[in-house]
Amino acid sequence: MNAPSPRFGANSLRNGPDARGRFGEFGGRFVAETLMPLILEVEAAYNAAVADPAFQPELDRYLKDYVGRPSPLWFAQRLTDRLGGAKIYFKRDELNHTGAHKINSCMGQILLAKRMGKTRVIAETGAGQHGVATATVCALFGLPCTVYMGAVDVARQAPNVFRMKLLGAEVIPVTSGASTLKDAMNEALRDWVANVRDTFYIIGTVAGPHPYPMMVRDFQSVIGNEAKAQLHEAEGRLPDMCVAAIGGGSNAMGLFHPFLDDPSVRLIGVEAAGHGLDTFQHAASLSRGRPGVLHGNRTYLLQNEDGQIQEAHSISAGLDYPGIGPEHSWLHEIGRVEYEAATDQEALDAFQLCTRTEGIIPALEPAHALAHVAKIAPAMDRDKIIVMNLCGRGDKDIFTVAEALGVKL
Amino acid sequence: MSRIAARFAKLKAEGRGALMPFVEAWDPDHATSLALLKGMPAAGADLIEIGCPFTDPMADGPTIQLAGRRALDAGASMKNTLAMVRDFRADDTDTPIILMGYLNPILSYGVERFCADCAGFGVDGLIIVDLPSEEADLVLPHATANGLDIIRLIAPTTDDARLPLVLNGSSGFVYYVSITGITGTRTASGDELADAIPRIRRFTDLPIAIGFGVRTAAQAAGAVTHADGAVVASALIDIVKADLDSNGGKPKPDTVARVLAQVTALAEGVRGVRSAA
């Protein structure tokens, strides 16, 4: 619709997307005509909410008093000493209500759904964190909630499935494809096509058709905005590096976006390398994929030579996705963000390192970010500062980790 | 005049609507789908849609999802889907062929080369489900340059304010998605069609075909009472699937004949109605 005026100055990297929902050549609105009017309606409603002086204060109140923001910025002293290099700070988004960053965006989207008069909510989920966060805000606002979840993920994330049900959500296992996150998103989109008039789709990551990548990023940017202010208070300066795990890329986008115009800050996204980047069992869309169109946006995808989408693999259900948010694809191509990868084994090692040195059980998703931090921090000077997004807690993953470590519970 | 325009003009002169059956390329294998394709004109098909298999068909219900999966498992690709059209054209130069699919395999093939090969192999029109008008400039120039019709989907949610945008650049015919939903699920009522089709006609002179939820001869007849054509897909694929399910995953000797018999039954339904147009 109307092009948003540059919010951050003409040369800022933070002005995207353009009026067509594009970040460079990525993004857009590749949906069936049935959904197109609704997508435009969501965009108009979001723009109206942003322009409404009452919207942000209302969201802020929920974030503060219900979610528990701001989340702390923790100097991980023991981990820093152990690695013997750069100072490592954790942005503790695992301390949010429901245990991950996902609720930041769910809270914003449910307020939007209410403004639009929608009476039913759907969501997709991989690890279950987004499903739990969506079920939570639906319980809080009294809206019925249906969550689509790959059948494989239903099995490996049983505690989160039960949480969603306790919260009153209907969880529908999806058995098409590889029965993971990609397939759950297909099924949620099919539900939406059939229920356009009354249903709001709360997407969990910075992907999907415009305006979702922008909207979810905006709601998640609270992470980076807080981290920037908190580090300024603690150290009086910017970090040298920010590191975050990437599946669809919402926690990374939330941390990185407020730092995009600070060229001294290196930004590193860590994809899931699964069994290794040179196997076919990984989820590294940027490292090993190429541009294509899936789930409403043009972005890097794991696909074969015929344009058929390939299944991703990661020990982390939340990273097990063959695509990535379109803004990441753009940041990759312009070189502003560096994209690395960590294997299942490296993530498991980091999971244990974090647990033993800091007394924090991280989710397997941020364990990938930590695995990269553990690789590079030792070679950095001791006066350098890394901020890592500890975007979720690991309670949901203890069964997966036990199995990987050969422990019977 | 394009094959599609010529066919609709001929049917209009005959005073009847079009039956457009759908065949998923390579479902459940190359030979069966090619036999279906080649048999359809004699069975009563006026135009034919060929589904291009895709791993993630977000507007399709379980029937076409599984058909696509079977086709990919059998070795389907965009390249050998186009080869089927070439083989069909060896015997039939009149029946319009429309490819229906999703954007990513086309992007992967290369849009420009895809449109050129479509034209060269005898494809007449494209329906790209996840390419709304807002993104159509990705394909439209190449389709136009190669004489391919771009057939747009119009949904119950496409309001009057939006219709001119959707129709701008569309040619051949327009495809009315008669339900808000995925393929092979619900069926629109006669009242819904009686409201929807005249509304669209106020904005276009192109023929209108109705799809999504047209399963039986009676429903196909109902569709051409209001519009100019009826698309039937899932109901035909269900015949194939039932045979596969009861025959260890293989088609039966008479699977093709029974699908074609159903096409004939649908065609009789369509031909029993004087066109509204």
Side-chain angles (χ1 to χ4, degrees):
Chain A
M1 311 288 281
N2 49 328
S5 56
R7 285 187 288 174
F8 300 100
N11 295 320
S12 172
L13 298 177
R14 303 179 66 187
N15 288 325
D18 66 16
R20 298 180 66 179
R22 304 250 179 117
F23 305 89
E25 65 172 287
F26 301 104
R29 293 177 283 221
F30 296 91
V31 296
E33 173 61 22
T34 313
L35 281 182
M36 199 61 213
L38 187 59
I39 297 286
L40 296 172
E41 190 193 337
V42 172
E43 182 185 356
Y46 178 64
N47 288 339
V50 169
D52 179 352
F55 182 73
Q56 190 64 42
E58 186 185 15
L59 175 56
D60 288 345
R61 183 176 74 80
Y62 282 107
L63 290 178
K64 174 173 173 285
D65 295 336
Y66 187 76
V67 175
R69 301 207 73 92
S71 69
L73 185 72
W74 169 247
F75 173 43
Q77 175 84 59
R78 292 232 314 137
L79 180 67
T80 298
D81 291 347
R82 167 74 75 90
L83 295 175
K87 292 177 80 168
I88 298 160
Y89 282 85
F90 288 160
K91 181 58 175 162
R92 306 250 349 241
D93 257 51
E94 101 282 8
L95 291 176
N96 294 336
H97 180 45
T98 70
H101 70 290
K102 293 293 187 186
I103 198 161
N104 302 331
S105 168
C106 289
M107 197 54 87
Q109 290 189 60
I110 195 95
L111 291 179
L112 191 62
K114 293 290 280 187
R115 285 175 69 102
M116 293 176 71
K118 299 296 180 185
T119 55
R120 173 177 178 264
V121 165
I122 57 171
E124 86 295 337
T125 196
Q129 292 304 98
H130 176 61
V132 167
T134 304
T136 297
V137 297
C138 285
L140 179 65
F141 285 86
L143 291 181
C145 175
T146 299
V147 178
Y148 291 91
M149 186 170 188
V152 167
D153 294 336
V154 168
R156 64 178 163 173
Q157 301 288 348
N160 272 345
V161 174
F162 186 53
R163 271 185 203 109
M164 286 183 264
K165 289 180 177 169
L166 285 173
L167 290 159
E170 177 189 17
V171 179
I172 300 185
V174 176
T175 53
S176 58
S179 307
T180 58
L181 180 54
K182 166 180 81 89
D183 313 294
M185 195 151 180
N186 285 334
E187 220 45 46
L189 284 165
R190 290 180 185 123
D191 179 309
W192 208 22
V193 167
N195 298 285
V196 278
R197 291 194 166 87
D198 67 346
T199 297
F200 190 94
Y201 182 10
I202 296 189
I203 294 183
T205 192
V206 286
H210 178 63
Y212 281 94
M214 167 182 79
M215 185 165 71
V216 174
R217 174 204 69 197
D218 289 351
F219 290 137
Q220 292 294 358
S221 291
V222 67
I223 300 171
N225 285 327
E226 284 178 7
K228 200 173 200 176
Q230 289 166 322
L231 192 73
H232 193 266
E233 189 166 315
E235 299 274 358
R237 70 179 185 87
L238 289 167
D240 298 286
M241 184 185 287
C242 294
V243 183
I246 308 238
S250 68
N251 91 83
M253 220 45 250
L255 177 63
F256 295 167
H257 196 254
F259 292 101
L260 288 179
D261 291 332
D262 299 307
S264 69
V265 182
R266 279 179 72 187
L267 303 172
I268 300 182
V270 184
E271 296 190 293
H275 295 322
L277 287 182
D278 295 323
T279 69
F280 287 101
Q281 292 184 300
H282 59 73
S285 335
L286 286 177
S287 300
R288 289 293 185 272
R290 60 190 172 88
V293 165
L294 179 70
H295 294 156
N297 64 112
R298 188 171 202 190
T299 193
Y300 273 72
L301 301 171
L302 299 178
Q303 55 183 315
N304 72 10
E305 68 289 348
D306 193 41
Q308 305 296 337
I309 308 304
Q310 290 174 318
E311 305 297 346
H313 165 80
S314 172
I315 191 171
S316 147
L319 303 182
D320 205 342
Y321 182 67
I324 186 166
E327 195 166 9
H328 284 294
S329 291
W330 175 67
L331 291 167
H332 168 66
E333 291 220 331
I334 67 169
R336 176 63 188 97
V337 179
E338 302 160 56
Y339 293 89
E340 303 286 349
T343 64
D344 288 353
Q345 186 58 51
E346 289 167 338
L348 277 168
D349 293 345
F351 177 98
Q352 294 170 88
L353 176 69
C354 186
T355 305
R356 296 285 177 89
T357 56
E358 292 295 333
I360 298 170
I361 301 178
L364 282 169
E365 291 80 18
H368 285 72
L370 186 59
H372 189 71
V373 168
K375 278 184 221 170
I376 59 170
M380 293 169 69
D381 290 340
R382 286 168 189 267
D383 62 350
K384 297 291 185 192
I385 297 172
I386 299 175
V387 172
M388 192 204 91
N389 199 2
L390 219 172
C391 62
R393 68 178 183 225
D395 308 48
K396 70 184 174 60
D397 291 319
I398 57 172
F399 301 100
T400 303
V401 171
E403 192 183 330
L405 298 179
V407 176
K408 278 219 160 39
L409 293 182
Chain B
M1 189 185 277
S2 75
R3 262 191 213 106
I4 293 174
R7 179 54 53 104
F8 273 106
K10 175 171 169 280
L11 296 178
K12 190 169 187 177
E14 291 174 19
R16 69 173 181 89
L19 175 68
M20 253 183 268
F22 174 104
V23 56
E24 181 85 353
W26 284 68
D27 172 37
D29 54 56
H30 175 249
T32 303
S33 64
L34 185 61
L36 284 171
L37 180 62
K38 288 189 167 193
M40 278 179 172
D46 298 302
L47 302 86
I48 302 173
E49 279 184 21
I50 299 181
C52 304
F54 183 49
T55 41
D56 295 84
M58 75 177 172
D60 285 306
T63 296
I64 295 181
Q65 287 174 42
L66 289 171
R69 187 70 261 163
R70 290 192 296 268
L72 292 171
D73 288 346
S77 67
M78 196 54 97
K79 201 174 166 185
N80 60 33
T81 296
L82 287 172
M84 279 181 62
V85 179
R86 184 197 56 211
D87 293 346
F88 174 83
R89 281 280 171 250
D91 311 321
D92 186 319
T93 54
D94 295 330
T95 308
I97 295 282
I98 295 107
L99 293 189
M100 182 162 185
Y102 292 81
L103 183 59
N104 200 54
I106 296 172
L107 288 180
S108 186
Y109 195 98
V111 175
E112 193 171 359
R113 189 165 69 93
F114 176 75
C115 290
D117 285 357
C118 278
F121 286 8
V123 173
D124 301 293
L126 302 175
I127 301 174
I128 306 172
V129 177
D130 53 350
L131 189 77
S133 306
E134 279 78 356
E135 306 289 354
D137 55 356
L138 208 54
V139 176
L140 197 53
H142 302 298
T144 306
N146 286 286
L148 298 172
D149 284 322
I150 288 286
I151 291 128
R152 290 282 166 70
L153 301 176
I154 290 174
T157 51
T158 312
D159 64 17
D160 287 359
R162 191 173 161 73
L163 271 171
L165 172 74
V166 175
L167 289 163
N168 182 26
S170 88
S171 58
F173 63 95
V174 297
Y175 187 127
Y176 181 60
V177 175
S178 62
I179 54 160
T180 53
I182 53 179
T183 54
T185 51
R186 222 163 55 72
T187 300
S189 71
D191 285 351
E192 287 172 304
L193 297 180
D195 282 345
I197 302 304
R199 182 171 77 85
I200 299 168
R201 287 212 202 276
R202 292 208 309 273
F203 292 87
T204 184
D205 294 329
L206 288 171
I208 301 170
I210 293 175
F212 285 46
V214 183
R215 299 187 62 85
T216 65
Q219 287 164 351
V224 296
T225 308
H226 302 283
D228 308 298
V231 180
V232 181
S234 296
L236 298 175
I237 295 172
D238 282 341
I239 298 173
V240 176
K241 182 177 185 297
D243 279 7
L244 297 172
D245 288 349
S246 62
N247 195 41
K250 299 267 182 256
K252 294 178 180 173
D254 66 342
T255 298
V256 169
R258 288 196 305 111
V259 174
L260 294 177
Q262 183 59 26
V263 171
T264 300
L266 291 162
E268 283 165 3
V270 165
R271 285 161 202 240
V273 175
R274 290 283 306 171
S275 173

PDB file of all heavy atoms in Angstrom, chain B residues 30-53:
ATOM      1  N   HIS B  30       4.471 -41.982 -15.150  1.00  0.00           N
ATOM      2  CA  HIS B  30       4.459 -41.281 -16.430  1.00  0.00           C
ATOM      3  C   HIS B  30       3.424 -41.866 -17.401  1.00  0.00           C
ATOM      4  O   HIS B  30       2.612 -41.138 -17.980  1.00  0.00           O
ATOM      5  CB  HIS B  30       5.864 -41.345 -17.055  1.00  0.00           C
ATOM      6  CG  HIS B  30       5.927 -40.754 -18.425  1.00  0.00           C
ATOM      7  ND1 HIS B  30       6.122 -41.522 -19.554  1.00  0.00           N
ATOM      8  CD2 HIS B  30       5.791 -39.482 -18.851  1.00  0.00           C
ATOM      9  CE1 HIS B  30       6.117 -40.736 -20.617  1.00  0.00           C
ATOM     10  NE2 HIS B  30       5.921 -39.489 -20.228  1.00  0.00           N
ATOM     11  N   ALA B  31       3.421 -43.196 -17.533  1.00  0.00           N
ATOM     12  CA  ALA B  31       2.565 -43.830 -18.535  1.00  0.00           C
ATOM     13  C   ALA B  31       1.083 -43.587 -18.248  1.00  0.00           C
ATOM     14  O   ALA B  31       0.297 -43.255 -19.143  1.00  0.00           O
ATOM     15  CB  ALA B  31       2.850 -45.336 -18.588  1.00  0.00           C
ATOM     16  N   THR B  32       0.691 -43.733 -16.990  1.00  0.00           N
ATOM     17  CA  THR B  32      -0.720 -43.563 -16.644  1.00  0.00           C
ATOM     18  C   THR B  32      -1.175 -42.125 -16.896  1.00  0.00           C
ATOM     19  O   THR B  32      -2.232 -41.884 -17.495  1.00  0.00           O
ATOM     20  CB  THR B  32      -0.959 -43.927 -15.157  1.00  0.00           C
ATOM     21  OG1 THR B  32      -0.507 -45.271 -14.937  1.00  0.00           O
ATOM     22  CG2 THR B  32      -2.424 -43.824 -14.787  1.00  0.00           C
ATOM     23  N   SER B  33      -0.361 -41.178 -16.449  1.00  0.00           N
ATOM     24  CA  SER B  33      -0.795 -39.780 -16.597  1.00  0.00           C
ATOM     25  C   SER B  33      -0.796 -39.367 -18.066  1.00  0.00           C
ATOM     26  O   SER B  33      -1.674 -38.619 -18.505  1.00  0.00           O
ATOM     27  CB  SER B  33       0.052 -38.837 -15.743  1.00  0.00           C
ATOM     28  OG  SER B  33       1.395 -38.816 -16.159  1.00  0.00           O
ATOM     29  N   LEU B  34       0.123 -39.905 -18.857  1.00  0.00           N
ATOM     30  CA  LEU B  34       0.136 -39.567 -20.290  1.00  0.00           C
ATOM     31  C   LEU B  34      -1.072 -40.195 -20.998  1.00  0.00           C
ATOM     32  O   LEU B  34      -1.700 -39.562 -21.862  1.00  0.00           O
ATOM     33  CB  LEU B  34       1.441 -40.019 -20.953  1.00  0.00           C
ATOM     34  CG  LEU B  34       1.607 -39.594 -22.420  1.00  0.00           C
ATOM     35  CD1 LEU B  34       1.608 -38.066 -22.560  1.00  0.00           C
ATOM     36  CD2 LEU B  34       2.890 -40.174 -23.019  1.00  0.00           C
ATOM     37  N   ALA B  35      -1.420 -41.402 -20.589  1.00  0.00           N
ATOM     38  CA  ALA B  35      -2.602 -42.053 -21.173  1.00  0.00           C
ATOM     39  C   ALA B  35      -3.870 -41.275 -20.823  1.00  0.00           C
ATOM     40  O   ALA B  35      -4.769 -41.109 -21.665  1.00  0.00           O
ATOM     41  CB  ALA B  35      -2.700 -43.496 -20.673  1.00  0.00           C
ATOM     42  N   LEU B  36      -3.946 -40.792 -19.590  1.00  0.00           N
ATOM     43  CA  LEU B  36      -5.092 -39.967 -19.192  1.00  0.00           C
ATOM     44  C   LEU B  36      -5.163 -38.698 -20.040  1.00  0.00           C
ATOM     45  O   LEU B  36      -6.212 -38.341 -20.571  1.00  0.00           O
ATOM     46  CB  LEU B  36      -4.986 -39.589 -17.709  1.00  0.00           C
ATOM     47  CG  LEU B  36      -5.319 -40.688 -16.699  1.00  0.00           C
ATOM     48  CD1 LEU B  36      -4.960 -40.236 -15.279  1.00  0.00           C
ATOM     49  CD2 LEU B  36      -6.804 -41.036 -16.775  1.00  0.00           C
ATOM     50  N   LEU B  37      -4.020 -38.053 -20.147  1.00  0.00           N
ATOM     51  CA  LEU B  37      -3.957 -36.794 -20.888  1.00  0.00           C
ATOM     52  C   LEU B  37      -4.402 -36.999 -22.338  1.00  0.00           C
ATOM     53  O   LEU B  37      -5.257 -36.268 -22.856  1.00  0.00           O
ATOM     54  CB  LEU B  37      -2.518 -36.263 -20.826  1.00  0.00           C
ATOM     55  CG  LEU B  37      -2.204 -34.958 -21.535  1.00  0.00           C
ATOM     56  CD1 LEU B  37      -3.010 -33.819 -20.928  1.00  0.00           C
ATOM     57  CD2 LEU B  37      -0.706 -34.647 -21.438  1.00  0.00           C
ATOM     58  N   LYS B  38      -3.844 -38.036 -22.953  1.00  0.00           N
ATOM     59  CA  LYS B  38      -4.157 -38.278 -24.373  1.00  0.00           C
ATOM     60  C   LYS B  38      -5.603 -38.710 -24.573  1.00  0.00           C
ATOM     61  O   LYS B  38      -6.194 -38.450 -25.625  1.00  0.00           O
ATOM     62  CB  LYS B  38      -3.214 -39.339 -24.950  1.00  0.00           C
ATOM     63  CG  LYS B  38      -1.792 -38.820 -25.138  1.00  0.00           C
ATOM     64  CD  LYS B  38      -0.943 -39.821 -25.922  1.00  0.00           C
ATOM     65  CE  LYS B  38       0.360 -39.182 -26.372  1.00  0.00           C
ATOM     66  NZ  LYS B  38       1.079 -39.976 -27.376  1.00  0.00           N
ATOM     67  N   GLY B  39      -6.162 -39.374 -23.561  1.00  0.00           N
ATOM     68  CA  GLY B  39      -7.534 -39.869 -23.701  1.00  0.00           C
ATOM     69  C   GLY B  39      -8.604 -38.836 -23.412  1.00  0.00           C
ATOM     70  O   GLY B  39      -9.776 -39.032 -23.722  1.00  0.00           O
ATOM     71  N   MET B  40      -8.218 -37.736 -22.768  1.00  0.00           N
ATOM     72  CA  MET B  40      -9.232 -36.806 -22.287  1.00  0.00           C
ATOM     73  C   MET B  40     -10.032 -36.099 -23.394  1.00  0.00           C
ATOM     74  O   MET B  40     -11.252 -35.952 -23.255  1.00  0.00           O
ATOM     75  CB  MET B  40      -8.606 -35.790 -21.319  1.00  0.00           C
ATOM     76  CG  MET B  40      -8.488 -36.375 -19.915  1.00  0.00           C
ATOM     77  SD  MET B  40      -7.731 -35.216 -18.757  1.00  0.00           S
ATOM     78  CE  MET B  40      -7.977 -36.138 -17.210  1.00  0.00           C
ATOM     79  N   PRO B  41      -9.404 -35.642 -24.488  1.00  0.00           N
ATOM     80  CA  PRO B  41     -10.221 -34.955 -25.502  1.00  0.00           C
ATOM     81  C   PRO B  41     -11.341 -35.852 -26.046  1.00  0.00           C
ATOM     82  O   PRO B  41     -12.486 -35.405 -26.128  1.00  0.00           O
ATOM     83  CB  PRO B  41      -9.193 -34.597 -26.588  1.00  0.00           C
ATOM     84  CG  PRO B  41      -7.905 -34.471 -25.855  1.00  0.00           C
ATOM     85  CD  PRO B  41      -7.962 -35.556 -24.804  1.00  0.00           C
ATOM     86  N   ALA B  42     -11.022 -37.109 -26.363  1.00  0.00           N
ATOM     87  CA  ALA B  42     -12.056 -37.999 -26.891  1.00  0.00           C
ATOM     88  C   ALA B  42     -13.123 -38.302 -25.844  1.00  0.00           C
ATOM     89  O   ALA B  42     -14.281 -38.578 -26.170  1.00  0.00           O
ATOM     90  CB  ALA B  42     -11.419 -39.299 -27.386  1.00  0.00           C
ATOM     91  N   ALA B  43     -12.726 -38.230 -24.571  1.00  0.00           N
ATOM     92  CA  ALA B  43     -13.685 -38.491 -23.498  1.00  0.00           C
ATOM     93  C   ALA B  43     -14.589 -37.292 -23.228  1.00  0.00           C
ATOM     94  O   ALA B  43     -15.550 -37.404 -22.469  1.00  0.00           O
ATOM     95  CB  ALA B  43     -12.937 -38.897 -22.219  1.00  0.00           C
ATOM     96  N   GLY B  44     -14.266 -36.150 -23.828  1.00  0.00           N
ATOM     97  CA  GLY B  44     -15.155 -34.998 -23.653  1.00  0.00           C
ATOM     98  C   GLY B  44     -14.516 -33.762 -23.050  1.00  0.00           C
ATOM     99  O   GLY B  44     -15.213 -32.784 -22.765  1.00  0.00           O
ATOM    100  N   ALA B  45     -13.214 -33.787 -22.870  1.00  0.00           N
ATOM    101  CA  ALA B  45     -12.544 -32.592 -22.327  1.00  0.00           C
ATOM    102  C   ALA B  45     -12.490 -31.515 -23.398  1.00  0.00           C
ATOM    103  O   ALA B  45     -12.124 -31.794 -24.543  1.00  0.00           O
ATOM    104  CB  ALA B  45     -11.129 -32.943 -21.878  1.00  0.00           C
ATOM    105  N   ASP B  46     -12.822 -30.297 -23.008  1.00  0.00           N
ATOM    106  CA  ASP B  46     -12.720 -29.180 -23.953  1.00  0.00           C
ATOM    107  C   ASP B  46     -11.390 -28.445 -23.812  1.00  0.00           C
ATOM    108  O   ASP B  46     -10.844 -27.935 -24.775  1.00  0.00           O
ATOM    109  CB  ASP B  46     -13.877 -28.208 -23.721  1.00  0.00           C
ATOM    110  CG  ASP B  46     -15.217 -28.873 -23.975  1.00  0.00           C
ATOM    111  OD1 ASP B  46     -15.419 -29.372 -25.100  1.00  0.00           O
ATOM    112  OD2 ASP B  46     -16.051 -28.922 -23.046  1.00  0.00           O
ATOM    113  N   LEU B  47     -10.920 -28.337 -22.613  1.00  0.00           N
ATOM    114  CA  LEU B  47      -9.582 -27.824 -22.309  1.00  0.00           C
ATOM    115  C   LEU B  47      -9.030 -28.751 -21.231  1.00  0.00           C
ATOM    116  O   LEU B  47      -9.801 -29.441 -20.552  1.00  0.00           O
ATOM    117  CB  LEU B  47      -9.598 -26.392 -21.758  1.00  0.00           C
ATOM    118  CG  LEU B  47     -10.228 -25.269 -22.600  1.00  0.00           C
ATOM    119  CD1 LEU B  47     -11.722 -25.194 -22.346  1.00  0.00           C
ATOM    120  CD2 LEU B  47      -9.569 -23.924 -22.288  1.00  0.00           C
ATOM    121  N   ILE B  48      -7.711 -28.789 -21.044  1.00  0.00           N
ATOM    122  CA  ILE B  48      -7.131 -29.675 -20.029  1.00  0.00           C
ATOM    123  C   ILE B  48      -6.147 -28.885 -19.170  1.00  0.00           C
ATOM    124  O   ILE B  48      -5.333 -28.105 -19.691  1.00  0.00           O
ATOM    125  CB  ILE B  48      -6.400 -30.878 -20.670  1.00  0.00           C
ATOM    126  CG1 ILE B  48      -7.364 -31.667 -21.563  1.00  0.00           C
ATOM    127  CG2 ILE B  48      -5.805 -31.782 -19.588  1.00  0.00           C
ATOM    128  CD1 ILE B  48      -6.684 -32.761 -22.374  1.00  0.00           C
ATOM    129  N   GLU B  49      -6.268 -29.101 -17.862  1.00  0.00           N
ATOM    130  CA  GLU B  49      -5.271 -28.541 -16.950  1.00  0.00           C
ATOM    131  C   GLU B  49      -4.312 -29.646 -16.548  1.00  0.00           C
ATOM    132  O   GLU B  49      -4.733 -30.730 -16.165  1.00  0.00           O
ATOM    133  CB  GLU B  49      -5.948 -28.000 -15.689  1.00  0.00           C
ATOM    134  CG  GLU B  49      -6.545 -26.640 -15.888  1.00  0.00           C
ATOM    135  CD  GLU B  49      -7.112 -26.088 -14.600  1.00  0.00           C
ATOM    136  OE1 GLU B  49      -6.706 -26.542 -13.503  1.00  0.00           O
ATOM    137  OE2 GLU B  49      -7.983 -25.217 -14.694  1.00  0.00           O
ATOM    138  N   ILE B  50      -3.032 -29.321 -16.608  1.00  0.00           N
ATOM    139  CA  ILE B  50      -2.018 -30.262 -16.123  1.00  0.00           C
ATOM    140  C   ILE B  50      -1.412 -29.686 -14.853  1.00  0.00           C
ATOM    141  O   ILE B  50      -0.892 -28.562 -14.846  1.00  0.00           O
ATOM    142  CB  ILE B  50      -0.910 -30.487 -17.170  1.00  0.00           C
ATOM    143  CG1 ILE B  50      -1.509 -31.070 -18.456  1.00  0.00           C
ATOM    144  CG2 ILE B  50       0.174 -31.419 -16.610  1.00  0.00           C
ATOM    145  CD1 ILE B  50      -0.478 -31.346 -19.538  1.00  0.00           C
ATOM    146  N   GLY B  51      -1.509 -30.440 -13.774  1.00  0.00           N
ATOM    147  CA  GLY B  51      -0.918 -30.014 -12.505  1.00  0.00           C
ATOM    148  C   GLY B  51       0.571 -30.297 -12.505  1.00  0.00           C
ATOM    149  O   GLY B  51       1.000 -31.403 -12.855  1.00  0.00           O
ATOM    150  N   CYS B  52       1.361 -29.294 -12.139  1.00  0.00           N
ATOM    151  CA  CYS B  52       2.813 -29.456 -12.033  1.00  0.00           C
ATOM    152  C   CYS B  52       3.142 -29.785 -10.580  1.00  0.00           C
ATOM    153  O   CYS B  52       2.917 -28.965  -9.701  1.00  0.00           O
ATOM    154  CB  CYS B  52       3.518 -28.171 -12.447  1.00  0.00           C
ATOM    155  SG  CYS B  52       3.075 -27.617 -14.094  1.00  0.00           S
ATOM    156  N   PRO B  53       3.670 -30.971 -10.329  1.00  0.00           N
ATOM    157  CA  PRO B  53       3.889 -31.399  -8.948  1.00  0.00           C
ATOM    158  C   PRO B  53       4.821 -30.462  -8.181  1.00  0.00           C
ATOM    159  O   PRO B  53       5.810 -29.960  -8.737  1.00  0.00           O
ATOM    160  CB  PRO B  53       4.531 -32.785  -9.105  1.00  0.00           C
ATOM    161  CG  PRO B  53       4.081 -33.254 -10.446  1.00  0.00           C
ATOM    162  CD  PRO B  53       4.016 -32.025 -11.291  1.00  0.00           C
TER     163      PRO B  53
END
